[in-house]
Amino acid sequence: MMTNTEIRNSFINYFKKNDHTYVNSSSLIPENDPTLLFANAGMNQFKNSFLGLENRGYTRAVSSQKCVRAGGKHNDLDNVGFTARHHTFFEMLGNFSFGDYFKKDAIHYAWDFLTNELKIPKDKLYVTVFETDDEAADIWHKQEGVPANRIFRLDEKDNFWRMGDVGPCGPCSEIFYDHGPDFGKISDPFESIKAGEDRYVEIWNLVFMQFYEEAPGKMTPLPKPSVDTGAGFERLTAAVQNCWNNYNTDLFQKIITTGLKKAESTLDYPSMITWERSNIREFNAGTSHKNLSAEQKQKFDELTAIRVIADHCRSTSFLLADGALPSNEGRGYVLRRIMRRAIRYGRKLSAQHSLLPAMSEALIEVMSDAYPELKNRKEHILSTIRDEEARFLQTLDNGSVILNEELALMKKKNQQMVSGETLFKLYDTYGFPTDLTAVIAAEQGLQIDEAGFEKVMQASKEKAKSSWKGKGLQSDEKHLLELSQKFASQATKFSGYDGLMSSTNILALSNGSVETVSLKAGQAGFAILKETSFYAEGGGQVGDQGALKAKNGEARVLNCTKQNDLYIHHIEIISGELKVNESVETHVEVSERRQTTTNHSATHLMHSALRKVLGTHVSQAGSLVDSSKTRFDFTHNKPMTTEEIKKVEALVNNEISEANPVQAEVMPHAKAIEKGAMALFGEKYGDQVRVLTMGKFSSELCGGTHVKNTAEIRAFKVLSESGVSAGVRRIEAITGTAAINYLMKNTDELLMARQSTGITPDKPITAWIEEKKEDIKDLQKQIKKIQSGQVNVDDIIKNSKEFQSQSGPAQLIFADLDLDDRDVLSQISDQIRSKVPRGIVVVIGQSENSHPVIISVSKEMNAQFKAGDLLKDFAQVLGGKGGGRPDFAQGAVPDRSKLKEAFDVICKKVLL
């Protein structure tokens, strides 16, 4: 039996033999595609190739793409664990033709690979075609010999594919595998496929892009039809390994075995599969389980839970490896939902043991050969999972108590729906994703009010707004798409590594909405040049600024961005006129570029230093490099210490002083990684990459601009280190003249401080400051003692009002004092209480804007009077607020003009 690794390699090698270029999986975090939450199909990274916007240098490709479907339009989260084939993470095997071969070859490759390479029996396979696609049906029947009674025609809903409302589209043909009669109730294959039973499972989809849809229903033939295919790797592996359930394949075996062992479950992996197969008639892949016995129900729940975690540890680990982090918005919120769902199912299997980290570690071991990023970021993945688990478990118990109380109350009232308000409270306060609440509620036969939750959510501060933005221009997208298509074959030549000036021609001008032949003084827009020295925003580095100078006009360049291989210059005409096709000189602003370049090179050194000081789990999570500073976000789960920051600064400054040459070399991506160059997660790299090396200290893939020698950086200084989100820290630093000026300024201030205080150079000024702080504390204590001693508490007590409490005779005492120190007022309150056996003391002070109030009540009287309640009543009259314990409460009020009324309120409550 073939292993999953053998199947994946067989697919890739088969298509490589047939002249396909192997392309590595892209990141799960899409690059410059605001329409996608995560990569969810093999064709995502080839989207621009299909649209004719990108020439990759080949017309045939093969890949095994990492995919996640757990949010948005494609969301399989709720089905995971309950069916045989749904996953949040999966691999999509695919072969692609960009205007090369079409239906005949695509169909032949698929059938030949399945039946000859994988040896899947032909009588196990069925195919579907679009209802009017006679061409595909004939190819299947006449070319490949598939019997006509195994070729089914389906309508547009099932067998027609569209990239979007507008764009490439076409019919598709699907291949189904028959798992056998035990896994379906409908005997007719066509009807079973239409019904979506588990017996017949789609294992490959061939999409024939042969039309361009200009408007709904208005399609024209494409001049170069293309092919996009996708074979679900987990489903294909299940077919080859004769497993009816994807979770029974060797893709999941070690992960599930690890989880069951960690949970001390009575089910081991082989017995689990045997038990499930023997009970397949009682429950069939997610159908109703009401007829199961209590023992069967317990086993089925255990099966479901371990499969949920097995799936979720895959999506969690791969998303963390590709740079996603758990948070409360955007992609991070989807990841947090997945992680917390897995943690909660783990808690159901074992209250003592943590399953998600252990199963994730097993996943890393199983899949690191195919996806080395898992091994490279193992420490980061596991530490982030443990941190998120610890954070969630702290709130899970509290949230569960609230939810269970709500569910119990609902049952008493015969209600069937958890309210939107409760859902939001659990989400906002305890971090419960709504789908997790839905799972807990469903276990008790109840539903959730999702519409009510959304209504409450909208009324709040909209925490879950989309956090992924496109990096292209904020202009008419159709206009930019048209420009990109028109000039796709005329990629801008970048000469800015070697110089800041160049002579070139204007290829196109735009006023921001439409293409135009010229722009005149006062107008703003975009310019596309044949060649440019302007760096286009990317890799964290800002775009260059400067000027375009022509014979009869000049433009100020405000920014430079990139649209595929075209450099878009954002310009405003300051004199004369610029015209298409005329010659123009590019002039990059020298000082801005120089300082930006210095900051960028220092960022590379800092990144390497951080990994040396904190560990190799550190990787870039975001950056912004401009002329004033470098801002660097990196993965690390706790604040840096002062000593760690000093070590990073020392390492970077040492490399600067070494005056190492900075070398840039272009080489194949695979060779660069082999040589040890660090690739940044979330960045898109081509087959040829630029490797930036600084001595033996740093080697990274980078297309940015850099110094020629580290000595040009001159100096490096960290300004701040702070937290951005869970597991992400941020450093802001300066270099060059800015760093030197900063250090000189601080040195001058330090010298002035020594001169004014008389501190000698041999004594640290921080030690002197700490001594003075202690002196000040002592003086403050003495002042407070004097202040409290100046108040005659006996005179205050003389004016008290006596009353009969439930505990016996008591006194109500008011003190209006010209003091604003809350500690002193508290001391006075304690002195008064110590002199009366039983009573209530109300003390109010005076300040400029807000006046402190303290109320204390003898503890034996707390059953009758609570300080917090009395304070609220008192403060409300004076426009203030406060609270506290039954025996002691404090607050503040802005208005003393109604002080007598406030005292009267207390008197009425206490004395009557």
Side-chain angles (χ1 to χ4, degrees):
M1 181 178 70
M2 294 179 74
T3 65
N4 73 80
T5 300
E6 291 170 338
I7 295 168
R8 186 191 297 107
N9 291 341
S10 176
F11 181 88
I12 292 167
N13 291 331
Y14 174 83
F15 283 98
K16 285 172 70 175
K17 283 189 303 183
N18 285 283
D19 302 320
H20 289 63
T21 298
Y22 173 64
V23 182
N24 284 320
S25 171
S26 67
S27 169
L28 284 167
I29 313 300
E31 172 71 13
N32 284 339
D33 191 344
T35 66
L36 276 180
L37 186 64
F38 301 113
N40 60 19
M43 64 79 61
N44 290 158
Q45 67 169 313
F46 301 112
K47 185 175 179 179
N48 285 338
S49 297
F50 286 120
L51 288 171
L53 302 177
E54 181 180 18
N55 184 355
R56 287 175 167 252
Y58 49 80
T59 57
R60 298 180 174 208
V62 59
S63 71
S64 179
Q65 174 65 43
K66 303 175 290 189
C67 299
V68 165
R69 292 184 181 176
K73 178 182 177 183
H74 301 289
N75 185 1
D76 291 337
L77 187 61
D78 293 338
N79 293 318
V80 170
F82 294 91
T83 73
R85 61 183 186 274
H86 284 99
H87 305 284
T88 56
F89 172 87
F90 60 95
E91 293 177 76
M92 186 67 81
L93 304 177
N95 58 290
F96 309 91
S97 164
F98 313 118
D100 191 319
Y101 61 83
F102 200 46
K103 292 182 184 179
K104 282 190 174 184
D105 288 332
I107 289 172
H108 171 71
Y109 289 145
W111 193 253
D112 182 50
F113 177 73
L114 291 175
T115 59
N116 293 322
E117 296 290 323
L118 298 185
K119 308 296 183 185
I120 295 177
K122 293 181 181 179
D123 62 3
K124 283 280 192 180
L125 301 174
Y126 292 81
V127 298
T128 65
V129 298
F130 182 51
E131 56 191 355
T132 62
D133 193 356
D134 297 332
E135 180 186 8
D138 285 344
I139 294 171
W140 281 115
H141 181 52
K142 296 176 181 178
Q143 176 180 287
E144 303 304 328
V146 178
N149 63 357
R150 285 178 174 266
I151 303 171
F152 305 131
R153 293 174 183 261
L154 295 176
D155 59 17
E156 189 170 328
K157 176 178 173 291
D158 294 303
N159 275 63
F160 197 91
W161 180 89
R162 288 178 171 84
M163 185 176 288
D165 293 335
V166 174
C169 62
C172 57
S173 180
E174 297 173 323
I175 305 172
F176 286 80
Y177 178 84
D178 180 8
H179 281 288
D182 283 347
F183 307 102
K185 298 177 181 178
I186 304 172
S187 59
D188 180 78
F190 180 59
E191 295 301 327
S192 180
I193 287 173
K194 286 203 302 181
E197 288 192 321
D198 280 338
R199 174 175 179 174
Y200 299 95
V201 174
E202 176 208 330
I203 58 172
W204 207 332
N205 186 14
L206 316 178
V207 176
F208 307 123
M209 297 187 197
Q210 64 185 100
F211 303 109
Y212 189 90
E213 191 162 29
E214 299 173 8
K218 185 180 179 182
M219 289 179 282
T220 56
L222 287 170
K224 290 185 177 180
S226 298
V227 173
D228 159 29
T229 84
F233 181 54
E234 290 74 14
R235 297 182 181 192
L236 188 59
T237 301
V240 174
Q241 295 182 356
N242 194 29
C243 298
W244 78 276
N245 191 306
N246 294 356
Y247 293 96
N248 297 348
T249 67
D250 66 347
L251 277 165
F252 292 90
Q253 184 172 356
K254 184 176 181 64
I255 302 169
I256 290 177
T257 301
T258 298
L260 291 173
K261 184 177 180 181
K262 190 77 174 176
E264 299 177 352
S265 169
T266 56
L267 285 177
D268 60 23
Y269 190 73
S271 67
M272 181 183 77
I273 297 174
T274 302
W275 175 83
E276 182 180 40
R277 186 63 188 252
S278 66
N279 288 276
I280 195 64
R281 288 296 185 185
E282 280 71 24
F283 55 90
N284 183 16
T287 56
S288 174
H289 311 115
K290 292 180 180 178
N291 297 326
L292 294 176
S293 65
E295 182 184 2
Q296 287 177 321
K297 180 69 165 59
Q298 181 180 351
K299 286 186 176 182
F300 183 81
D301 288 346
E302 193 169 354
L303 262 176
T304 301
I306 200 68
R307 284 172 172 168
V308 168
I309 309 169
D311 170 87
H312 289 9
C313 81
R314 285 166 31 113
S315 50
T316 293
S317 298
F318 274 96
L319 283 169
L320 289 171
D322 277 356
L325 287 164
S327 68
N328 283 335
E329 58 182 15
R331 294 186 178 106
Y333 177 56
V334 176
L335 172 57
R336 174 161 281 169
R337 287 175 62 199
I338 293 171
M339 294 177 75
R340 292 191 167 186
R341 195 169 187 261
I343 293 165
R344 196 260 170 180
Y345 271 104
R347 175 63 76 89
K348 288 185 66 177
L349 283 174
S350 174
Q352 293 79 33
H353 302 292
S354 178
L355 304 190
L356 184 59
M359 293 173 72
S360 296
E361 189 166 8
L363 171 275
I364 292 170
E365 182 180 337
V366 168
M367 298 195 73
S368 282
D369 286 344
Y371 299 100
E373 61 268 28
L374 291 171
K375 179 172 58 180
N376 295 340
R377 305 204 73 200
K378 177 180 177 179
E379 185 181 344
H380 165 67
I381 292 168
L382 296 179
S383 64
T384 304
I385 290 172
R386 293 188 188 103
D387 287 348
E388 181 66 16
E389 184 173 57
R391 186 178 290 109
F392 182 48
L393 289 178
Q394 287 176 354
T395 62
L396 180 61
D397 293 335
N398 290 336
S400 295
V401 168
I402 289 178
L403 179 57
N404 288 328
E405 288 175 354
E406 178 77 8
L407 297 180
L409 186 62
M410 287 172 57
K411 285 186 175 181
K412 283 184 180 180
K413 297 180 179 179
N414 291 320
Q415 295 175 341
Q416 299 296 314
M417 188 82 70
V418 181
S419 70
E421 289 79 5
T422 300
L423 291 172
F424 183 76
K425 181 180 180 181
L426 288 164
Y427 162 77
D428 193 47
T429 306
Y430 297 101
F432 263 53
T434 53
D435 55 328
L436 178 55
T437 307
V439 168
I440 298 173
E443 290 169 355
Q444 299 192 36
L446 301 171
Q447 296 176 316
I448 65 170
D449 182 8
E450 291 190 61
F453 169 76
E454 291 299 331
K455 187 176 180 180
V456 178
M457 189 74 163
Q458 282 297 106
S460 75
K461 293 184 179 179
E462 295 189 18
K463 292 182 180 179
K465 280 186 177 180
S466 297
S467 62
W468 54 97
K469 306 285 185 185
K471 295 181 182 177
L473 301 171
Q474 301 302 307
S475 182
D476 186 274
E477 291 185 2
K478 185 178 180 182
H479 167 54
L480 288 173
L481 181 62
E482 289 170 350
L483 274 179
S484 299
Q485 289 175 322
K486 183 174 180 179
F487 296 97
S489 62
Q490 302 181 59
T492 308
K493 179 184 177 183
F494 177 60
S495 59
Y497 292 134
D498 304 315
L500 303 184
M501 293 176 57
S502 66
S503 296
T504 184
N505 291 332
I506 299 176
L507 289 179
L509 292 169
S510 163
N511 64 11
S513 298
V514 295
E515 192 177 352
T516 183
V517 295
S518 67
L519 288 174
K520 297 180 180 180
Q523 289 186 298
F526 308 125
I528 300 175
L529 310 179
K530 187 175 181 179
E531 179 181 325
T532 187
S533 55
F534 284 87
Y535 179 79
E537 178 184 326
Q541 181 176 330
V542 298
D544 280 331
Q545 298 179 349
L548 299 181
K549 297 180 180 180
K551 184 178 180 181
N552 297 312
E554 183 175 344
R556 181 181 292 112
V557 178
L558 306 174
N559 194 12
C560 186
T561 56
K562 206 173 180 183
Q563 191 81 355
N564 299 315
D565 292 327
L566 293 175
Y567 284 59
I568 312 295
H569 302 76
H570 301 229
I571 63 173
E572 60 180 20
I573 311 299
I574 57 176
S575 67
E577 181 180 19
L578 293 188
K579 295 180 180 180
V580 172
N581 294 325
E582 75 173 336
S583 298
V584 67
E585 287 184 349
T586 66
H587 294 262
V588 175
E589 213 290 320
V590 178
S591 62
E592 288 285 314
R593 165 71 88 83
R594 182 188 297 120
Q595 193 58 43
T596 300
T597 290
T598 299
N599 285 336
H600 198 161
S601 296
T603 304
H604 281 228
L605 294 177
M606 175 172 59
H607 189 184
S608 183
L610 284 166
R611 289 170 64 85
K612 286 176 170 58
V613 173
L614 302 179
T616 55
H617 65 280
V618 168
S619 65
Q620 180 173 323
S623 69
L624 174 64
V625 179
D626 58 23
S627 61
S628 64
K629 66 181 180 306
T630 175
R631 190 184 75 197
F632 187 74
D633 296 346
F634 60 98
T635 53
H636 189 56
N637 57 9
K638 58 185 177 181
M640 291 179 67
T641 65
T642 302
E643 285 305 310
E644 287 170 338
I645 293 173
K646 285 181 179 179
K647 286 179 181 179
V648 169
E649 289 179 328
L651 283 171
V652 174
N653 282 308
N654 182 67
E655 288 303 309
I656 293 170
S657 66
E658 289 287 334
N660 288 315
V662 177
Q663 297 176 326
E665 184 181 359
V666 177
M667 64 182 71
H669 183 273
K671 183 180 178 183
I673 301 302
E674 185 181 324
K675 289 182 69 173
M678 186 161 45
L680 303 184
F681 294 95
E683 289 295 319
K684 183 179 179 181
Y685 300 106
D687 296 330
Q688 295 290 314
V689 295
R690 184 169 179 260
V691 180
L692 206 288
T693 305
M694 300 181 181
K696 295 181 180 179
F697 193 76
S698 170
S699 181
E700 284 190 26
L701 274 56
C702 183
T705 62
H706 289 273
V707 298
K708 302 296 183 185
N709 189 291
T710 58
E712 295 176 34
I713 301 172
R714 299 172 67 200
F716 170 83
K717 177 62 183 172
V718 172
L719 295 181
S720 66
E721 191 273 349
S722 60
V724 178
S725 60
V728 178
R729 307 297 299 175
R730 171 174 290 173
I731 280 180
E732 291 197 1
I734 51 178
T735 68
T737 301
I740 292 171
N741 289 341
Y742 177 86
L743 293 169
M744 292 295 291
K745 178 176 179 289
N746 279 270
T747 301
D748 290 342
E749 289 176 352
L750 181 61
L751 289 172
M752 291 171 63
R754 286 187 180 279
Q755 290 170 2
S756 64
T757 57
I759 305 170
T760 58
D762 61 320
K763 184 175 183 180
I765 197 167
T766 51
W768 182 87
I769 292 173
E770 290 302 318
E771 288 177 6
K772 295 307 173 187
K773 284 166 69 175
E774 289 300 317
D775 291 344
I776 291 170
K777 284 182 182 177
D778 289 340
L779 290 172
Q780 287 174 335
K781 287 179 182 178
Q782 293 178 38
I783 292 169
K784 289 176 181 179
K785 187 175 181 180
I786 293 170
Q787 286 178 327
S788 62
Q790 289 177 338
V791 175
N792 191 328
V793 296
D794 292 330
D795 288 344
I796 295 173
I797 295 172
K798 287 179 183 177
N799 296 318
S800 67
K801 300 178 185 293
E802 296 183 353
F803 67 98
Q804 188 69 29
S805 72
Q806 293 175 354
S807 305
Q811 292 171 276
L812 174 60
I813 303 165
F814 292 111
D816 181 4
L817 305 172
D818 188 13
L819 296 169
D820 64 357
D821 190 305
R822 195 175 291 274
D823 290 338
V824 174
L825 294 173
S826 181
Q827 289 176 14
I828 293 170
S829 176
D830 290 343
Q831 288 175 27
I832 295 172
R833 276 183 54 190
S834 68
K835 292 197 171 189
V836 296
R838 189 181 297 110
I840 298 171
V841 180
V842 180
V843 177
I844 183 169
Q846 294 187 43
S847 184
E848 288 186 15
N849 298 314
S850 182
H851 313 293
V853 179
I854 293 175
I855 295 182
S856 58
V857 178
S858 298
K859 287 188 177 180
E860 59 191 287
M861 298 170 60
N862 286 159
Q864 186 178 3
F865 302 109
K866 291 181 173 55
D869 294 341
L870 293 172
L871 179 65
K872 287 176 184 177
D873 293 336
F874 183 85
Q876 188 174 11
V877 177
L878 304 175
K881 58 183 180 180
R885 306 188 307 269
D887 64 320
F888 182 87
Q890 56 184 331
V893 296
D895 179 17
R896 287 172 52 91
S897 64
K898 297 181 180 180
L899 196 54
K900 185 179 182 304
E901 293 179 33
F903 284 146
D904 289 343
V905 167
I906 299 299
C907 287
K908 288 178 181 178
K909 294 203 71 158
V910 173
L911 303 179
L912 295 180

